[in-house]
Amino acid sequence: MPPRSRRLAVLPVVASALLLASCTSQVQAEDGFAKQAVTMLLPGQESPRLSGSTGVLAQAAPQIPAVVAPAGPMRLHPRPEVDCDQSKCVALTFDDGPGRHTERLLDHLAAADVPATFYLLGQNAQKYPETLHRMVIEGHQLGSHTHDHKALTALSSSQITHEIDTAAAIIKDLTGVHPGTVRPPYGAHNAQVDALIDAPLVLWDVDTLDWQHRDPAKVASIAMEEVRDGSIILMHDIHESTVKAVPELIKRLKQQGYTPVTINELFDGQEFNSSTAYASRNQIR
Ligand code: NI
């Protein structure tokens, strides 16, 4: 079975596990891959959702295929491990969503078998719970872009904490995944913001200016001009023009030997500390 079909085949099972997980608060994944959801599918373990209340579902339970628990941490959609000391890595990041074009973006990323990191607004995450589930299932990383996109440098301490905590709670409630990194709106941060955020702040070193020109060709050409080994590329999945640019951008990155990775993968084996702002794998800002 080709990989895409296999992924679709396990999707309902995994989706059930995620739903179940959010009900029972057992998911403790930190890195966007819902590790615990997988361990809930041990062979012979009966799902509480399938017993008791409805006879039809209870009868269907024995036909659910057993899924063997992994020996160690895994993604729901596994990809080969990438060592960014050996490979030219780049992180594609998308801010301000989800929005109405995000599902199309997920289609493009799935077709290219490429992971991305989504810096979600809490207020938009609430509107697209299915899109969030899909991001987790398909191996993307979820990050926080605060609840409603205020410049944190203009807020009081309690307002900053509220922005961060509200977005994190919404994302965790919807997916079981805690957004382990934060991208402050406008990249605006200062000593007070840094001190209050108990997570790495992830900025960027490649700004496609996609929100300004809305031109797919420019998104790809600016990114290819500025990208370096270890770069973080800033884009916005709320713009259709950006989503349209992604297949060509991925094609050109791969042609030049880049491996697209998540933010956690980009910093794997590196210092990646809370209250510190990173512009790329090699650059603190
Ligand atoms: Ni933003």
Side-chain angles (χ1 to χ4, degrees):
M1 199 186 286
R4 176 74 182 161
S5 316
R6 195 183 308 128
R7 200 182 319 152
L8 287 173
V10 300
L11 208 136
V13 178
V14 174
S16 304
L18 282 174
L19 279 173
L20 185 62
S22 61
C23 294
T24 55
S25 302
Q26 288 183 24
V27 169
Q28 294 170 352
E30 293 170 357
D31 58 3
F33 305 129
K35 295 166 190 165
Q36 295 298 318
V38 176
T39 64
M40 296 175 67
L41 296 169
L42 288 169
Q45 192 175 13
E46 193 178 3
S47 162
R49 288 180 76 233
L50 296 170
S51 61
S53 55
T54 59
V56 174
L57 283 177
Q59 280 172 10
Q63 292 169 22
I64 294 177
V67 177
V68 177
M74 67 167 283
R75 306 172 187 206
L76 297 180
H77 173 48
R79 288 190 192 86
E81 268 196 26
V82 182
D83 179 354
C84 294
D85 281 332
Q86 308 295 326
S87 303
K88 257 166 67 172
C89 289
V90 60
L92 306 181
T93 66
F94 296 94
D95 288 14
D96 296 1
R100 61 198 175 94
H101 306 296
T102 307
E103 288 278 336
R104 176 65 57 86
L105 172 60
L106 291 172
D107 292 342
H108 290 326
L109 294 170
D113 201 14
V114 158
T117 303
F118 289 89
Y119 284 101
L120 307 161
L121 290 178
Q123 63 178 6
N124 286 349
Q126 284 175 316
K127 298 176 198 161
Y128 296 92
E130 300 304 323
T131 307
L132 258 68
H133 289 170
R134 198 178 154 195
M135 287 173 183
V136 172
I137 289 165
E138 297 186 4
H140 304 294
Q141 184 176 333
L142 309 187
S144 166
H145 196 39
T146 75
H147 183 58
D148 62 4
H149 210 271
K150 295 192 180 86
L152 298 178
T153 46
L155 302 183
S156 68
S157 294
S158 62
Q159 287 172 320
I160 294 168
T161 303
H162 177 78
E163 280 290 315
I164 300 299
D165 290 353
T166 305
I170 288 168
I171 293 165
K172 178 83 189 269
D173 280 353
L174 290 173
T175 63
V177 175
H178 175 71
T181 63
V182 170
R183 172 166 286 161
Y186 315 104
H189 70 108
N190 56 23
Q192 183 196 20
V193 170
D194 294 357
L196 284 169
I197 297 182
D198 185 23
L201 279 66
V202 176
L203 305 178
W204 57 87
D205 64 334
V206 177
D207 187 349
T208 59
L209 299 173
D210 58 339
W211 58 274
Q212 207 171 51
H213 54 66
R214 310 284 180 98
D215 178 345
K218 264 193 169 174
V219 172
S221 63
I222 292 174
M224 292 314 298
E225 204 168 294
E226 297 185 8
V227 67
R228 310 257 179 286
D229 186 5
S231 275
I232 299 172
I233 301 180
L234 170 64
M235 291 175 280
H236 298 81
D237 52 311
I238 53 171
H239 300 307
E240 188 176 20
S241 47
T242 301
V243 172
K244 277 186 180 162
V246 165
E248 174 69 15
L249 174 59
I250 289 172
K251 190 176 120 192
R252 289 168 66 179
L253 286 168
K254 285 182 171 176
Q255 277 171 352
Q256 297 213 0
Y258 285 96
T259 303
V261 295
T262 63
I263 287 293
N264 281 349
E265 288 172 324
L266 189 71
F267 288 93
D268 192 25
Q270 296 269 108
E271 295 244 324
F272 194 42
N273 299 322
S274 290
S275 304
T276 306
Y278 297 86
S280 74
R281 180 171 156 86
N282 315 305
Q283 197 185 347
I284 289 173
R285 185 157 70 189

